[in-house]
Amino acid sequence: MRLHAAAEPLSADTLEVPRPGAGQVLVRVKACGVCRTDLHIVDGELAGVPCPITPGHEVVGVVEAGGERFAPGSRVGIPWLGWTCGECQYCRGSRENLCERARFTGYHLPGGYAEHLVADERFCLALPQRYPDAQAAPLLCAGLIGFRCYTKTNDSRVIGLYGFGAAAHILAQLARAEGRTVFAFTKKNDLQGQRFALHCGAHWSGGSDEPPPEPLDAAIIFAPVGSLVIDALRNTKKGGRVICGGIHMSDIPSFPYADLWGERRIESVANLTREDGARFMEIANNVALRTEVTTYPLEKANAALADLRQGRLSGAAVLTP
């Protein structure tokens, strides 16, 4: 399923099976998660999309050929970060997620809304066997970006999650397993979403217009709504952090300096590193995370995107060829 122009539906295109080049593996796709970043790409909210492009960066598949790191038949995950230069200051400083020339799966490189794709074997991840293919797919972005956000909260005891979708529903379980207190914020009057948050381990859930039961040590914002930054700041203690986990967000409105004062901090999270991937998959192997998924046939990718766009999902959407 490929995007030929921004804001147009994906089309079902028939292509030859790609051949892996040096250092690449050919992967037969078993499942591919549908991420909000895919929506930003399809809806034209991210610049530089080389149409036509196959979206999808939460790819679970089986190696069929190529490479040396994985034997044929190995199950692998292909995440968002697909290639880095290895030479810039960020790569040399262990911050490859900020690489000046990074290329991303489903954005610059063909993604997993397909039956086959090739990928740089250095950026593929081994996956915990405890998760079936469809349930493993959301770990590759919702899980990974949530984990990177989580690491930036340090030892915060009370964490607020704004926007309870694919990433938050995984992170709530991890944070609770590690003894944190989790408060979930949804759209106003989203009672179904609030029940889902409680089901996933949140200690409290309410609308983003409601105050939490106690002030937050840190907040993580997954919803692409800039005004939530101000709400989170006002609910966060002195010295607390507000972490913005999305690749795209609406403008943050003006707010008084008093909301930031007290050594509060606003910070964004960009992409991920291979080290993030290895660390998170080790945790996912040891902590039984439930990924709530709704599966769609590959040819129904436009329907899955529409359901995500309209907020009709609990958890994550996953495409299966």
Side-chain angles (χ1 to χ4, degrees):
M1 300 295 291
R2 294 203 298 172
L3 177 70
H4 287 263
E8 290 188 1
L10 304 182
S11 64
D13 296 349
T14 301
L15 306 173
E16 292 185 2
V17 175
R19 295 182 179 181
Q24 292 183 322
V25 285
L26 171 65
V27 174
R28 176 166 50 88
V29 178
K30 304 290 286 184
C32 184
V34 178
C35 176
R36 185 161 294 277
T37 298
D38 299 339
L39 269 187
H40 295 317
I41 290 169
V42 169
D43 292 346
E45 294 172 331
L46 297 182
V49 178
C51 292
I53 186 68
T54 304
H57 57 273
E58 297 180 335
V59 191
V60 176
V62 175
V63 173
E64 290 196 338
E68 299 179 353
R69 185 177 165 213
F70 298 99
S74 299
R75 190 175 76 150
V76 298
I78 302 172
W80 173 246
L81 186 66
W83 181 89
T84 57
C85 72
E87 300 172 350
C88 69
Q89 61 174 321
Y90 300 110
C91 287
R92 289 185 283 107
S94 300
R95 294 188 293 168
E96 65 181 3
N97 59 304
L98 302 178
C99 174
E100 299 280 15
R101 293 187 283 153
R103 295 172 67 79
F104 301 109
T105 309
Y107 184 12
H108 307 116
L109 305 170
Y113 288 19
E115 295 176 338
H116 290 86
L117 80 162
V118 295
D120 188 324
E121 65 176 345
R122 299 173 300 168
F123 293 84
C124 295
L125 298 172
L127 299 174
Q129 291 303 312
R130 70 188 305 162
Y131 300 96
D133 295 334
Q135 283 68 32
L139 299 177
L140 287 156
C141 185
L144 279 174
I145 205 68
F147 174 69
R148 187 169 179 86
C149 292
Y150 182 59
T151 62
K152 290 183 177 293
T153 67
N154 296 330
D155 58 354
S156 297
R157 184 183 65 85
V158 180
I159 299 174
L161 304 179
Y162 285 79
F164 206 88
H169 99 282
I170 296 172
L171 182 53
Q173 299 172 60
L174 173 57
R176 178 142 189 173
E178 294 192 346
R180 316 292 183 97
T181 297
V182 179
F183 297 151
F185 297 84
T186 70
K187 292 179 181 178
K188 183 179 180 180
N189 297 324
D190 182 6
L191 300 181
Q192 180 178 347
Q194 291 162 22
R195 287 192 294 269
F196 179 60
L198 295 173
H199 169 72
C200 292
H203 294 83
W204 171 90
S205 185
S208 58
D209 58 329
E210 298 179 50
E214 61 180 295
L216 309 174
D217 295 310
I220 300 173
I221 301 175
F222 293 116
V225 181
S227 61
L228 291 177
V229 173
I230 304 171
D231 294 333
L233 278 174
R234 291 173 178 167
N235 287 327
T236 301
K237 295 177 183 176
K238 293 179 182 179
R241 296 185 177 196
V242 174
I243 310 300
C244 301
I247 194 172
H248 173 82
M249 179 182 274
S250 62
D251 290 347
I252 301 172
S254 175
F255 60 92
Y257 177 67
D259 291 341
L260 182 63
W261 187 79
E263 298 191 353
R264 295 175 179 87
R265 181 185 304 179
I266 302 171
E267 186 172 354
S268 70
V269 164
N271 314 313
L272 61 126
T273 67
R274 283 172 281 182
E275 181 182 358
D276 292 333
R279 289 174 60 198
F280 177 67
M281 292 306 167
E282 182 178 356
I283 291 171
N285 189 49
N286 295 324
V287 178
L289 301 171
R290 298 189 318 274
T291 54
E292 304 279 348
V293 302
T294 302
T295 58
Y296 299 76
L298 176 60
E299 63 270 19
K300 296 295 185 181
N302 288 310
L305 287 166
D307 286 346
L308 177 58
R309 186 183 290 111
Q310 298 301 321
R312 292 192 287 258
L313 293 168
S314 292
V318 176
L319 304 178
T320 55

